Amino acid sequence: MHFATCPAYGADDPDGTCTGCAPVDARDGALVCHRCYGKLRRRLETAPEIAAHLRRLARTGGSAKRYDRESHGRMPRRMAPVDPDVLDALRDVLDTLNATATADATPDEVHEIALGAAGAVLADYDAIVNDAGAFATWWQVTMPTQLPDWPEFWTIARAFARWPLEDRSGWAALPCPGCDLRMLRRIPPARAGVPEWYVCSSCEWERNDTDDDGLWALVIADAA
């Protein structure tokens, strides 16, 4: 977290301006706080959906617009070429997960490939959050929206910011346990096997439905 005088204070994505100037307690069983633990894990959990979304955009022309060719005869309307950024982003997201897909892979096939690769990373996540070097490396290729030394690289967060997925989060029916403000959001799992997250939009409080033996899942469910 950051002090109020920090230029990164209140920023959802400080882009490396400050990695944290105000100390916070580490999450049990990890070298990092709940917030950093959850932010990186959630982005890795959504990586298969981001990869499939990018493949779908590539098959439909991405954000490219239709154009008309004019001639003396009637010409069919055609689709402009695929935005090369979509293809670059898909390649980089898959490279981050150490996965590859053929050029003719369908969105569902890309999703399955990325799902397996992301699953392998998440299976070692407890080890990653207890290794400062490993955590810093994964954070660097996942969370910033721009890498100053490699501006053309598409991190997972950069791809998500450019081509966002549908926001399925909603407000929880109780105040945040950390700051007592009604700023607590529920982020449903992207698929079976990943947790539901509870994230305060005001303070650093963040948990998921497996934390503390499922306590927060019960508390939030009872308040609904």
Side-chain angles (χ1 to χ4, degrees), residues 2 138 167 184:
H2 308 275
W138 276 106
D167 184 4
L184 191 63

Side-chain angles (χ1 to χ4, degrees), residues 5-224:
T5 55
C6 174
Y9 179 78
D12 290 334
D13 184 5
D15 274 343
T17 305
C18 174
T19 57
C21 51
V24 295
D25 291 335
R27 176 188 170 97
D28 288 344
L31 293 178
V32 298
C33 67
H34 278 281
R35 190 76 165 187
C36 291
Y37 178 99
K39 287 182 71 172
L40 179 59
R41 185 176 180 101
R42 286 201 313 278
R43 192 55 72 228
L44 291 170
E45 287 171 351
T46 58
E49 282 66 44
I50 294 169
H53 182 49
L54 292 171
R55 186 70 190 103
R56 194 171 297 109
L57 290 173
R59 287 167 65 95
T60 59
S63 59
K65 298 180 179 179
R66 286 188 178 276
Y67 66 95
D68 292 318
R69 288 184 58 189
E70 295 183 1
S71 70
H72 296 294
R74 183 179 179 182
M75 298 295 293
R77 298 187 74 187
R78 310 175 78 179
M79 181 68 75
V82 176
D83 183 347
D85 283 348
V86 173
L87 299 177
D88 290 345
L90 175 58
R91 178 202 61 210
D92 290 346
V93 168
L94 291 177
D95 282 350
T96 295
L97 298 175
N98 195 27
T100 56
T102 60
D104 60 350
T106 67
D108 286 344
E109 289 170 339
V110 168
H111 182 271
E112 288 303 307
I113 291 168
L115 184 62
V121 176
L122 292 172
D124 289 334
Y125 195 68
D126 285 344
I128 291 171
V129 297
N130 278 290
D131 183 320
F135 186 85
T137 297
W138 276 106
W139 186 277
Q140 186 73 0
V141 297
T142 303
M143 298 306 301
T145 54
Q146 187 174 26
L147 297 178
D149 295 333
W150 196 0
E152 69 276 12
F153 183 78
W154 287 89
T155 65
I156 296 174
R158 182 187 178 194
F160 181 84
R162 173 75 178 273
W163 300 282
L165 301 173
E166 178 185 359
D167 184 4
R168 298 182 297 116
S169 65
W171 295 106
L174 80 168
C176 168
C179 64
D180 205 33
L181 297 178
R182 287 193 172 274
M183 298 291 287
L184 191 63
R185 297 193 70 84
R186 300 179 66 169
I187 303 175
R191 59 184 181 279
V194 300
E196 178 174 73
W197 290 89
Y198 316 119
V199 180
C200 182
S201 299
S202 176
C203 73
E204 298 292 314
W205 196 90
E206 176 168 328
R207 299 293 187 274
N208 67 48
D209 60 7
T210 66
D211 284 333
D212 301 314
D213 297 323
L215 169 65
W216 299 111
L218 293 174
V219 170
I220 290 174
D222 286 345

